[in-house]
Amino acid sequence: MEIKSLKELLESNETKYPLEGYIHFKGIPIEIENKKGSIRSGKDKNGKEWSIKMNADYGRIPMTEDSTNEMMDIYVGDNKDSDKVFVVKQLIPETKEFDELKWLLGFNSKEEAIKLYKSQYNKLGFFGGIKEYSFDKFKSIVFDNIIKNISNY
């Protein structure tokens, strides 16, 4: 088996979604799937097409894994100096069961983060609550996750 460098691992796109770029937020690498202003579209579970204008950059942190065995999903706001991190518990609207977590960086307040999150969905029922973390706590969650995944590689 060929051992990849960390740079190669971080730059490998092993998902079905094309990337529009890469950024760093206070040292955290983020793969951008949808840039602010772009149109995100797809089909729901019933085959109905949907589309929404992105009001923030949206992507994921490579080499991480959340409770759904996918990379950590991230919305990046405009305040690159913010030390506040928010995590939204996303629900499946039809059943109100837990779906996944969405992390929000670069926001000034909980209210601003909630407003952005809700603006990214054209139907109600996804929002299941929000929690605030310090950036230092978030950074330790991310890097602990990356180290765990590299050791399992």
Side-chain angles (χ1 to χ4, degrees):
M1 166 175 37
E2 179 184 343
I3 303 295
K4 295 181 182 181
S5 70
L6 181 57
K7 182 176 190 268
E8 289 173 314
L9 286 170
L10 293 176
E11 291 178 351
S12 66
N13 179 17
E14 299 175 4
T15 68
K16 60 184 176 182
Y17 303 107
L19 299 178
E20 294 185 3
Y22 298 89
I23 64 169
H24 283 85
F25 188 97
K26 295 186 172 192
I28 305 283
I30 301 172
E31 299 174 339
I32 300 300
E33 184 181 317
N34 296 99
K35 289 184 178 180
K36 181 178 181 177
S38 68
I39 304 296
R40 180 178 171 92
S41 61
K43 290 184 180 182
D44 66 17
K45 293 176 183 175
N46 298 320
K48 182 180 176 190
E49 292 188 11
W50 57 267
S51 66
I52 194 92
K53 182 179 178 184
M54 299 305 292
N55 296 314
D57 286 343
Y58 175 76
R60 59 201 173 245
I61 300 177
M63 297 297 297
T64 60
E65 193 173 280
D66 65 14
S67 61
T68 63
N69 299 318
E70 294 182 5
M71 287 184 258
M72 294 172 70
D73 291 335
I74 306 289
Y75 286 100
V76 183
D78 294 328
N79 184 354
K80 305 303 184 223
D81 295 320
S82 176
D83 285 323
K84 298 177 182 200
V85 177
F86 302 95
V87 61
V88 168
K89 178 182 175 184
Q90 183 166 293
L91 304 176
I92 299 167
E94 296 78 15
T95 64
K96 301 297 182 205
E97 293 176 355
F98 173 76
D99 181 24
E100 62 183 334
L101 298 176
K102 299 289 186 183
W103 295 86
L104 295 95
L105 311 175
F107 295 90
N108 297 312
S109 67
K110 186 181 286 189
E111 294 75 24
E112 182 183 29
I114 292 169
K115 182 178 178 183
L116 177 277
Y117 174 81
K118 288 183 174 181
S119 78
Q120 297 308 139
Y121 295 89
N122 53 12
K123 118 176 166 179
L124 298 174
F126 287 98
F127 183 77
I130 191 167
K131 185 174 182 178
E132 182 175 339
Y133 287 93
S134 69
F135 189 79
D136 286 340
K137 176 65 175 172
F138 173 72
K139 190 167 50 174
S140 72
I141 291 168
V142 169
F143 285 114
D144 286 350
N145 197 307
I146 290 172
I147 289 168
K148 179 188 84 171
N149 284 323
I150 288 175
S151 67
N152 291 333
Y153 180 71

